[in-house]
Amino acid sequence: MTTYNTGNPLGSAAAKDLYDNAENLDHLTNDMANETWPDRLGRPRKTWYGIEKNANQAILNYGYITKDSFEDGSTLSTANECLRWKSNGEYYRWDGNFPKVVPPGSTPDSTGGVQKGAWVGVGDASLRADLKKEEGAGLVGYQPGMDYPYGSVGAYLNASYAMLPTVNIANYSSLKEAIAAIPSGGTVYVPAARYESGKWNVNADSMNVDNIRILGERAPTWNSTLTRLIGGSVIAGRFIAWANNLTVENIGFDNGRDYINSKYPGADTTTASHPEGNTWDAFVYGAPSTGLEQKNGLVLRNIIGLMYNSQALGHAVLTEGYSHGRLDNVTGIGGSHGVIIKASDVVATGIFAYCQSENGLIIKADGSSNCGNVFVHDFTYAYKPRNTSPWFEPAYAKHGVDIDPNARTFNGPVYIGSVHTSGAVWGVHGAGLMPLADVHIVNIVADGLADNNAIVGEYAFIIDGNNSSSRIRIDHVRASNCKRGIYLNQPTENPSAQLSIGRCEGVNITNAMITALAFARIFIDQVEGTTVGSLYFMTTYAKIYVGSERYSIITKSKFQMDGGSTGPSLTLGWNSASSENEQYEFSLKNYRASVRGFMQVGSGATANIVSLPAALQPVSPGGRYTALMLGSTGFVNSHISVTDHIRVQDGTLPAGTQFVSLSGLEWDY
């Protein structure tokens, strides 16, 4: 746009119009960015740059005139002339000013470079050369090891890369028959429809072909009453496998009510065995017997296992007896157990469980499998899936998560990023026949509220003391609507045994928020309680160490101890002074016991001010602490000693004592 833009007619000799004309001429001849520029009267005009570009495109539309060569030397005069570089066979056109003189012995780089405004490749020699490279397939968006939809170029390249055949389950009577058609391995493609699994038995007739991939067109979902899986690739009936390098993607395994009632009318799934033996599982990857060598390489992605109801015997998705596994977006609905990981070196993300009677997620080592180096990114348990009205009354799982070194110790750590449980009786449970060690959970959110708003949750996190435990770490736990929050029972004395928690929150806890039994040691950086029965419950030899505490509304007493004791308590005759003075409080902070308060001597008072339970008595009894006392002669400095009591001096209350300050009193216990 011109500067003055007077709008005067053609032929105007006004100075402003002459200035605008000069400005327009400058753009029309020298502008190398705009293909058009408005004239003095606002009409768009082609710049010389725009005219050249249109002319070059018109020339290019007639095709290229090829010439030789960079090595021999040449001169290019028009935009549709291109020069060959003999060393790679590629042709290049010149994108700059003409004529372009290329001396003998030249290369594209030595005469301007390959870039905008210089040489531009117009052949496919460089593309063909790049495609021959090791990473060449990436030029068309393909990456080996990634998953591609059936029928795509990526899927074809995957199949070619693996050199394994692909069969379509629609051409066979069952999944079992389709796999039998590829005895050396390959892919079974499962279109979006329902197909029979076939008859399998974990002890005698499981799928044992290595290198099988079962690929669904799309993952299904469940109907609102949880009677069947719908809307995707569904295998109807139990599937049992144990083989190396099994991959299953976008599949629902339906052992729900509709299928069971049609296939096995009148079957009892709650107490009787499956007609083909064992339990009524939906998906099983497991060893036929104990003591066998572990398999390698299980991948489950976008998988659902549906059981008959909450009481059906078996597992929605059972994986055991392998190492090097990957589970992504795996959901178990119904049954005794939801999703089970009994394996080593496993990464799992997006694990969901609903409607189980026993366990939502199990991480376990037993006679069938080692277990360790298990990384679960996130897990969610709920009483039922959202927006469903199950045909049965769902159970509240005994354990949202069960971490169980049963017949074997874990052979590596267990790491869980996030646990959310809603309606589990025990949110996270850890215990087994073998010692439990090296478990790290980043975040636990456990809500024990039932569907009818009753409290069914007993514990957010519990280790119930079947065996010793050590090096258990929780970064954050939030317990709500539970009878208790954290519970640790350590049956034997073990200095290294401990549970450490970064931040522990409790909301609406009817009993103790944190419980330590026997020889338990619990370390918590920050405690926050709102509407709790008690903050702490400790037995004689148990310890709870706290960095800081904050609370409101304690409905019982802050401390509960063995034998129904309410913990540290003022003895007869001792009370807090008037409300404008510091009131008595016994706290756990800085990982020590702490007392404060300006205490008043009353009738019957002795030198013993506070009675201490064994769990809170000092490590080195009898230590002396300076204290301010007010007697008949005024304020004096005296001392306090701490043994089984907090007492004035060494047990003698000076005559005339009226007040004693306990503020700043702390000790190790």
Side-chain angles (χ1 to χ4, degrees), residues 323-354:
S323 60
H324 304 100
R326 178 87 195 197
L327 281 64
D328 295 315
N329 193 26
V330 175
T331 301
I333 303 176
S336 305
H337 312 291
V339 179
I340 295 83
I341 300 173
K342 296 197 288 184
S344 302
D345 308 321
V346 177
V347 176
T349 61
I351 309 300
F352 301 87
Y354 306 101

PDB file of all heavy atoms in Angstrom, residues 323-354:
ATOM      1  N   SER A 323       9.303 -63.728  30.973  1.00  0.00           N
ATOM      2  CA  SER A 323      10.065 -62.505  31.197  1.00  0.00           C
ATOM      3  C   SER A 323       9.999 -61.660  29.936  1.00  0.00           C
ATOM      4  O   SER A 323       9.681 -62.154  28.856  1.00  0.00           O
ATOM      5  CB  SER A 323      11.526 -62.812  31.553  1.00  0.00           C
ATOM      6  OG  SER A 323      12.159 -63.526  30.507  1.00  0.00           O
ATOM      7  N   HIS A 324      10.287 -60.375  30.085  1.00  0.00           N
ATOM      8  CA  HIS A 324      10.274 -59.416  28.979  1.00  0.00           C
ATOM      9  C   HIS A 324       8.868 -59.306  28.393  1.00  0.00           C
ATOM     10  O   HIS A 324       8.562 -59.862  27.341  1.00  0.00           O
ATOM     11  CB  HIS A 324      11.283 -59.800  27.896  1.00  0.00           C
ATOM     12  CG  HIS A 324      12.675 -59.947  28.407  1.00  0.00           C
ATOM     13  ND1 HIS A 324      13.238 -61.178  28.694  1.00  0.00           N
ATOM     14  CD2 HIS A 324      13.608 -59.022  28.736  1.00  0.00           C
ATOM     15  CE1 HIS A 324      14.456 -61.003  29.158  1.00  0.00           C
ATOM     16  NE2 HIS A 324      14.703 -59.706  29.197  1.00  0.00           N
ATOM     17  N   GLY A 325       8.013 -58.560  29.104  1.00  0.00           N
ATOM     18  CA  GLY A 325       6.639 -58.389  28.665  1.00  0.00           C
ATOM     19  C   GLY A 325       6.225 -56.940  28.641  1.00  0.00           C
ATOM     20  O   GLY A 325       6.820 -56.073  29.282  1.00  0.00           O
ATOM     21  N   ARG A 326       5.163 -56.693  27.899  1.00  0.00           N
ATOM     22  CA  ARG A 326       4.601 -55.351  27.788  1.00  0.00           C
ATOM     23  C   ARG A 326       3.086 -55.472  27.793  1.00  0.00           C
ATOM     24  O   ARG A 326       2.506 -56.190  26.973  1.00  0.00           O
ATOM     25  CB  ARG A 326       5.071 -54.687  26.494  1.00  0.00           C
ATOM     26  CG  ARG A 326       4.487 -53.290  26.268  1.00  0.00           C
ATOM     27  CD  ARG A 326       5.307 -52.234  26.922  1.00  0.00           C
ATOM     28  NE  ARG A 326       4.608 -50.966  27.015  1.00  0.00           N
ATOM     29  CZ  ARG A 326       5.205 -49.801  27.243  1.00  0.00           C
ATOM     30  NH1 ARG A 326       6.509 -49.762  27.406  1.00  0.00           N
ATOM     31  NH2 ARG A 326       4.515 -48.694  27.336  1.00  0.00           N
ATOM     32  N   LEU A 327       2.423 -54.764  28.713  1.00  0.00           N
ATOM     33  CA  LEU A 327       0.973 -54.746  28.802  1.00  0.00           C
ATOM     34  C   LEU A 327       0.519 -53.298  28.706  1.00  0.00           C
ATOM     35  O   LEU A 327       0.904 -52.469  29.532  1.00  0.00           O
ATOM     36  CB  LEU A 327       0.483 -55.351  30.119  1.00  0.00           C
ATOM     37  CG  LEU A 327       0.444 -56.873  30.274  1.00  0.00           C
ATOM     38  CD1 LEU A 327       1.841 -57.483  30.195  1.00  0.00           C
ATOM     39  CD2 LEU A 327      -0.203 -57.263  31.595  1.00  0.00           C
ATOM     40  N   ASP A 328      -0.304 -52.992  27.705  1.00  0.00           N
ATOM     41  CA  ASP A 328      -0.796 -51.633  27.491  1.00  0.00           C
ATOM     42  C   ASP A 328      -2.311 -51.654  27.323  1.00  0.00           C
ATOM     43  O   ASP A 328      -2.828 -52.334  26.441  1.00  0.00           O
ATOM     44  CB  ASP A 328      -0.165 -51.001  26.239  1.00  0.00           C
ATOM     45  CG  ASP A 328       1.327 -50.794  26.385  1.00  0.00           C
ATOM     46  OD1 ASP A 328       1.753 -50.307  27.435  1.00  0.00           O
ATOM     47  OD2 ASP A 328       2.057 -51.130  25.442  1.00  0.00           O
ATOM     48  N   ASN A 329      -2.998 -50.877  28.165  1.00  0.00           N
ATOM     49  CA  ASN A 329      -4.447 -50.764  28.090  1.00  0.00           C
ATOM     50  C   ASN A 329      -5.108 -52.140  28.184  1.00  0.00           C
ATOM     51  O   ASN A 329      -5.736 -52.622  27.242  1.00  0.00           O
ATOM     52  CB  ASN A 329      -4.876 -50.045  26.813  1.00  0.00           C
ATOM     53  CG  ASN A 329      -6.338 -49.643  26.851  1.00  0.00           C
ATOM     54  OD1 ASN A 329      -6.913 -49.444  27.914  1.00  0.00           O
ATOM     55  ND2 ASN A 329      -6.956 -49.547  25.684  1.00  0.00           N
ATOM     56  N   VAL A 330      -4.942 -52.747  29.338  1.00  0.00           N
ATOM     57  CA  VAL A 330      -5.482 -54.087  29.594  1.00  0.00           C
ATOM     58  C   VAL A 330      -6.544 -53.973  30.684  1.00  0.00           C
ATOM     59  O   VAL A 330      -6.295 -53.390  31.746  1.00  0.00           O
ATOM     60  CB  VAL A 330      -4.370 -55.055  30.018  1.00  0.00           C
ATOM     61  CG1 VAL A 330      -4.947 -56.411  30.397  1.00  0.00           C
ATOM     62  CG2 VAL A 330      -3.347 -55.209  28.893  1.00  0.00           C
ATOM     63  N   THR A 331      -7.723 -54.547  30.431  1.00  0.00           N
ATOM     64  CA  THR A 331      -8.861 -54.432  31.344  1.00  0.00           C
ATOM     65  C   THR A 331      -9.391 -55.809  31.696  1.00  0.00           C
ATOM     66  O   THR A 331      -9.630 -56.634  30.806  1.00  0.00           O
ATOM     67  CB  THR A 331      -9.991 -53.604  30.709  1.00  0.00           C
ATOM     68  OG1 THR A 331      -9.499 -52.302  30.392  1.00  0.00           O
ATOM     69  CG2 THR A 331     -11.175 -53.480  31.652  1.00  0.00           C
ATOM     70  N   GLY A 332      -9.587 -56.048  33.003  1.00  0.00           N
ATOM     71  CA  GLY A 332     -10.224 -57.269  33.466  1.00  0.00           C
ATOM     72  C   GLY A 332     -11.534 -56.935  34.144  1.00  0.00           C
ATOM     73  O   GLY A 332     -11.593 -56.065  35.017  1.00  0.00           O
ATOM     74  N   ILE A 333     -12.614 -57.636  33.750  1.00  0.00           N
ATOM     75  CA  ILE A 333     -13.948 -57.379  34.307  1.00  0.00           C
ATOM     76  C   ILE A 333     -14.477 -58.674  34.914  1.00  0.00           C
ATOM     77  O   ILE A 333     -14.617 -59.679  34.220  1.00  0.00           O
ATOM     78  CB  ILE A 333     -14.923 -56.864  33.234  1.00  0.00           C
ATOM     79  CG1 ILE A 333     -14.381 -55.591  32.581  1.00  0.00           C
ATOM     80  CG2 ILE A 333     -16.296 -56.609  33.834  1.00  0.00           C
ATOM     81  CD1 ILE A 333     -15.237 -55.067  31.442  1.00  0.00           C
ATOM     82  N   GLY A 334     -14.789 -58.636  36.211  1.00  0.00           N
ATOM     83  CA  GLY A 334     -15.384 -59.764  36.891  1.00  0.00           C
ATOM     84  C   GLY A 334     -14.382 -60.841  37.251  1.00  0.00           C
ATOM     85  O   GLY A 334     -13.179 -60.734  37.022  1.00  0.00           O
ATOM     86  N   GLY A 335     -14.900 -61.911  37.874  1.00  0.00           N
ATOM     87  CA  GLY A 335     -14.079 -63.038  38.279  1.00  0.00           C
ATOM     88  C   GLY A 335     -13.470 -62.846  39.654  1.00  0.00           C
ATOM     89  O   GLY A 335     -13.553 -61.778  40.266  1.00  0.00           O
ATOM     90  N   SER A 336     -12.844 -63.902  40.145  1.00  0.00           N
ATOM     91  CA  SER A 336     -12.138 -63.797  41.416  1.00  0.00           C
ATOM     92  C   SER A 336     -11.012 -62.782  41.324  1.00  0.00           C
ATOM     93  O   SER A 336     -10.793 -61.998  42.246  1.00  0.00           O
ATOM     94  CB  SER A 336     -11.568 -65.162  41.811  1.00  0.00           C
ATOM     95  OG  SER A 336     -12.563 -66.153  41.834  1.00  0.00           O
ATOM     96  N   HIS A 337     -10.290 -62.804  40.196  1.00  0.00           N
ATOM     97  CA  HIS A 337      -9.113 -61.964  40.024  1.00  0.00           C
ATOM     98  C   HIS A 337      -9.191 -61.235  38.681  1.00  0.00           C
ATOM     99  O   HIS A 337      -9.676 -61.776  37.692  1.00  0.00           O
ATOM    100  CB  HIS A 337      -7.849 -62.820  40.078  1.00  0.00           C
ATOM    101  CG  HIS A 337      -7.808 -63.766  41.239  1.00  0.00           C
ATOM    102  ND1 HIS A 337      -7.666 -63.339  42.539  1.00  0.00           N
ATOM    103  CD2 HIS A 337      -7.916 -65.116  41.290  1.00  0.00           C
ATOM    104  CE1 HIS A 337      -7.675 -64.387  43.350  1.00  0.00           C
ATOM    105  NE2 HIS A 337      -7.832 -65.483  42.622  1.00  0.00           N
ATOM    106  N   GLY A 338      -8.666 -60.007  38.666  1.00  0.00           N
ATOM    107  CA  GLY A 338      -8.715 -59.192  37.459  1.00  0.00           C
ATOM    108  C   GLY A 338      -7.533 -59.412  36.544  1.00  0.00           C
ATOM    109  O   GLY A 338      -7.535 -60.282  35.677  1.00  0.00           O
ATOM    110  N   VAL A 339      -6.481 -58.604  36.723  1.00  0.00           N
ATOM    111  CA  VAL A 339      -5.276 -58.682  35.893  1.00  0.00           C
ATOM    112  C   VAL A 339      -4.137 -59.180  36.771  1.00  0.00           C
ATOM    113  O   VAL A 339      -3.903 -58.637  37.849  1.00  0.00           O
ATOM    114  CB  VAL A 339      -4.931 -57.320  35.276  1.00  0.00           C
ATOM    115  CG1 VAL A 339      -3.669 -57.409  34.434  1.00  0.00           C
ATOM    116  CG2 VAL A 339      -6.105 -56.807  34.428  1.00  0.00           C
ATOM    117  N   ILE A 340      -3.419 -60.182  36.296  1.00  0.00           N
ATOM    118  CA  ILE A 340      -2.373 -60.826  37.094  1.00  0.00           C
ATOM    119  C   ILE A 340      -1.051 -60.751  36.352  1.00  0.00           C
ATOM    120  O   ILE A 340      -0.973 -61.082  35.162  1.00  0.00           O
ATOM    121  CB  ILE A 340      -2.720 -62.302  37.390  1.00  0.00           C
ATOM    122  CG1 ILE A 340      -3.969 -62.387  38.271  1.00  0.00           C
ATOM    123  CG2 ILE A 340      -1.563 -62.994  38.091  1.00  0.00           C
ATOM    124  CD1 ILE A 340      -5.265 -62.295  37.522  1.00  0.00           C
ATOM    125  N   ILE A 341      -0.013 -60.299  37.065  1.00  0.00           N
ATOM    126  CA  ILE A 341       1.347 -60.271  36.519  1.00  0.00           C
ATOM    127  C   ILE A 341       2.222 -61.132  37.424  1.00  0.00           C
ATOM    128  O   ILE A 341       2.536 -60.748  38.549  1.00  0.00           O
ATOM    129  CB  ILE A 341       1.892 -58.833  36.451  1.00  0.00           C
ATOM    130  CG1 ILE A 341       1.022 -57.961  35.557  1.00  0.00           C
ATOM    131  CG2 ILE A 341       3.340 -58.840  35.952  1.00  0.00           C
ATOM    132  CD1 ILE A 341       1.399 -56.485  35.558  1.00  0.00           C
ATOM    133  N   LYS A 342       2.572 -62.293  36.951  1.00  0.00           N
ATOM    134  CA  LYS A 342       3.522 -63.169  37.638  1.00  0.00           C
ATOM    135  C   LYS A 342       4.666 -63.406  36.658  1.00  0.00           C
ATOM    136  O   LYS A 342       4.706 -64.415  35.964  1.00  0.00           O
ATOM    137  CB  LYS A 342       2.860 -64.473  38.062  1.00  0.00           C
ATOM    138  CG  LYS A 342       1.741 -64.293  39.088  1.00  0.00           C
ATOM    139  CD  LYS A 342       1.372 -65.584  39.810  1.00  0.00           C
ATOM    140  CE  LYS A 342       0.648 -66.544  38.926  1.00  0.00           C
ATOM    141  NZ  LYS A 342       0.218 -67.760  39.669  1.00  0.00           N
ATOM    142  N   ALA A 343       5.565 -62.437  36.578  1.00  0.00           N
ATOM    143  CA  ALA A 343       6.591 -62.457  35.535  1.00  0.00           C
ATOM    144  C   ALA A 343       7.711 -61.500  35.914  1.00  0.00           C
ATOM    145  O   ALA A 343       7.587 -60.720  36.863  1.00  0.00           O
ATOM    146  CB  ALA A 343       5.989 -62.063  34.190  1.00  0.00           C
ATOM    147  N   SER A 344       8.783 -61.539  35.151  1.00  0.00           N
ATOM    148  CA  SER A 344       9.942 -60.677  35.394  1.00  0.00           C
ATOM    149  C   SER A 344      10.159 -59.748  34.210  1.00  0.00           C
ATOM    150  O   SER A 344       9.875 -60.109  33.064  1.00  0.00           O
ATOM    151  CB  SER A 344      11.199 -61.529  35.611  1.00  0.00           C
ATOM    152  OG  SER A 344      11.035 -62.418  36.692  1.00  0.00           O
ATOM    153  N   ASP A 345      10.655 -58.557  34.509  1.00  0.00           N
ATOM    154  CA  ASP A 345      11.007 -57.582  33.469  1.00  0.00           C
ATOM    155  C   ASP A 345       9.780 -57.222  32.629  1.00  0.00           C
ATOM    156  O   ASP A 345       9.720 -57.437  31.420  1.00  0.00           O
ATOM    157  CB  ASP A 345      12.125 -58.117  32.569  1.00  0.00           C
ATOM    158  CG  ASP A 345      13.325 -58.595  33.353  1.00  0.00           C
ATOM    159  OD1 ASP A 345      13.669 -57.946  34.350  1.00  0.00           O
ATOM    160  OD2 ASP A 345      13.908 -59.635  32.983  1.00  0.00           O
ATOM    161  N   VAL A 346       8.784 -56.653  33.304  1.00  0.00           N
ATOM    162  CA  VAL A 346       7.505 -56.336  32.676  1.00  0.00           C
ATOM    163  C   VAL A 346       7.219 -54.849  32.841  1.00  0.00           C
ATOM    164  O   VAL A 346       7.422 -54.277  33.914  1.00  0.00           O
ATOM    165  CB  VAL A 346       6.361 -57.157  33.299  1.00  0.00           C
ATOM    166  CG1 VAL A 346       5.017 -56.764  32.693  1.00  0.00           C
ATOM    167  CG2 VAL A 346       6.612 -58.643  33.107  1.00  0.00           C
ATOM    168  N   VAL A 347       6.733 -54.232  31.770  1.00  0.00           N
ATOM    169  CA  VAL A 347       6.257 -52.855  31.811  1.00  0.00           C
ATOM    170  C   VAL A 347       4.764 -52.867  31.493  1.00  0.00           C
ATOM    171  O   VAL A 347       4.348 -53.477  30.504  1.00  0.00           O
ATOM    172  CB  VAL A 347       7.002 -51.961  30.809  1.00  0.00           C
ATOM    173  CG1 VAL A 347       6.413 -50.557  30.803  1.00  0.00           C
ATOM    174  CG2 VAL A 347       8.488 -51.911  31.141  1.00  0.00           C
ATOM    175  N   ALA A 348       3.968 -52.214  32.329  1.00  0.00           N
ATOM    176  CA  ALA A 348       2.524 -52.195  32.127  1.00  0.00           C
ATOM    177  C   ALA A 348       2.013 -50.770  32.265  1.00  0.00           C
ATOM    178  O   ALA A 348       2.402 -50.042  33.174  1.00  0.00           O
ATOM    179  CB  ALA A 348       1.826 -53.100  33.136  1.00  0.00           C
ATOM    180  N   THR A 349       1.128 -50.367  31.376  1.00  0.00           N
ATOM    181  CA  THR A 349       0.503 -49.041  31.438  1.00  0.00           C
ATOM    182  C   THR A 349      -0.989 -49.189  31.188  1.00  0.00           C
ATOM    183  O   THR A 349      -1.414 -50.019  30.388  1.00  0.00           O
ATOM    184  CB  THR A 349       1.092 -48.092  30.382  1.00  0.00           C
ATOM    185  OG1 THR A 349       0.859 -48.628  29.068  1.00  0.00           O
ATOM    186  CG2 THR A 349       2.589 -47.912  30.564  1.00  0.00           C
ATOM    187  N   GLY A 350      -1.769 -48.375  31.875  1.00  0.00           N
ATOM    188  CA  GLY A 350      -3.205 -48.383  31.643  1.00  0.00           C
ATOM    189  C   GLY A 350      -3.843 -49.717  31.980  1.00  0.00           C
ATOM    190  O   GLY A 350      -4.458 -50.348  31.111  1.00  0.00           O
ATOM    191  N   ILE A 351      -3.721 -50.155  33.247  1.00  0.00           N
ATOM    192  CA  ILE A 351      -4.309 -51.418  33.685  1.00  0.00           C
ATOM    193  C   ILE A 351      -5.578 -51.100  34.486  1.00  0.00           C
ATOM    194  O   ILE A 351      -5.555 -50.272  35.402  1.00  0.00           O
ATOM    195  CB  ILE A 351      -3.322 -52.229  34.545  1.00  0.00           C
ATOM    196  CG1 ILE A 351      -1.972 -52.364  33.819  1.00  0.00           C
ATOM    197  CG2 ILE A 351      -3.897 -53.591  34.881  1.00  0.00           C
ATOM    198  CD1 ILE A 351      -2.044 -53.052  32.476  1.00  0.00           C
ATOM    199  N   PHE A 352      -6.681 -51.775  34.154  1.00  0.00           N
ATOM    200  CA  PHE A 352      -7.977 -51.502  34.772  1.00  0.00           C
ATOM    201  C   PHE A 352      -8.604 -52.808  35.234  1.00  0.00           C
ATOM    202  O   PHE A 352      -8.476 -53.844  34.568  1.00  0.00           O
ATOM    203  CB  PHE A 352      -8.921 -50.821  33.778  1.00  0.00           C
ATOM    204  CG  PHE A 352      -8.403 -49.527  33.229  1.00  0.00           C
ATOM    205  CD1 PHE A 352      -7.592 -49.509  32.104  1.00  0.00           C
ATOM    206  CD2 PHE A 352      -8.724 -48.319  33.828  1.00  0.00           C
ATOM    207  CE1 PHE A 352      -7.101 -48.317  31.583  1.00  0.00           C
ATOM    208  CE2 PHE A 352      -8.241 -47.124  33.318  1.00  0.00           C
ATOM    209  CZ  PHE A 352      -7.426 -47.125  32.196  1.00  0.00           C
ATOM    210  N   ALA A 353      -9.297 -52.747  36.380  1.00  0.00           N
ATOM    211  CA  ALA A 353     -10.004 -53.918  36.883  1.00  0.00           C
ATOM    212  C   ALA A 353     -11.321 -53.474  37.507  1.00  0.00           C
ATOM    213  O   ALA A 353     -11.386 -52.461  38.208  1.00  0.00           O
ATOM    214  CB  ALA A 353      -9.154 -54.660  37.907  1.00  0.00           C
ATOM    215  N   TYR A 354     -12.385 -54.267  37.247  1.00  0.00           N
ATOM    216  CA  TYR A 354     -13.712 -53.963  37.760  1.00  0.00           C
ATOM    217  C   TYR A 354     -14.402 -55.249  38.223  1.00  0.00           C
ATOM    218  O   TYR A 354     -14.223 -56.308  37.610  1.00  0.00           O
ATOM    219  CB  TYR A 354     -14.590 -53.315  36.670  1.00  0.00           C
ATOM    220  CG  TYR A 354     -14.007 -52.100  36.005  1.00  0.00           C
ATOM    221  CD1 TYR A 354     -13.415 -52.181  34.747  1.00  0.00           C
ATOM    222  CD2 TYR A 354     -14.054 -50.856  36.625  1.00  0.00           C
ATOM    223  CE1 TYR A 354     -12.885 -51.059  34.120  1.00  0.00           C
ATOM    224  CE2 TYR A 354     -13.535 -49.726  36.006  1.00  0.00           C
ATOM    225  CZ  TYR A 354     -12.951 -49.842  34.755  1.00  0.00           C
ATOM    226  OH  TYR A 354     -12.424 -48.721  34.134  1.00  0.00           O
TER     227      TYR A 354
END
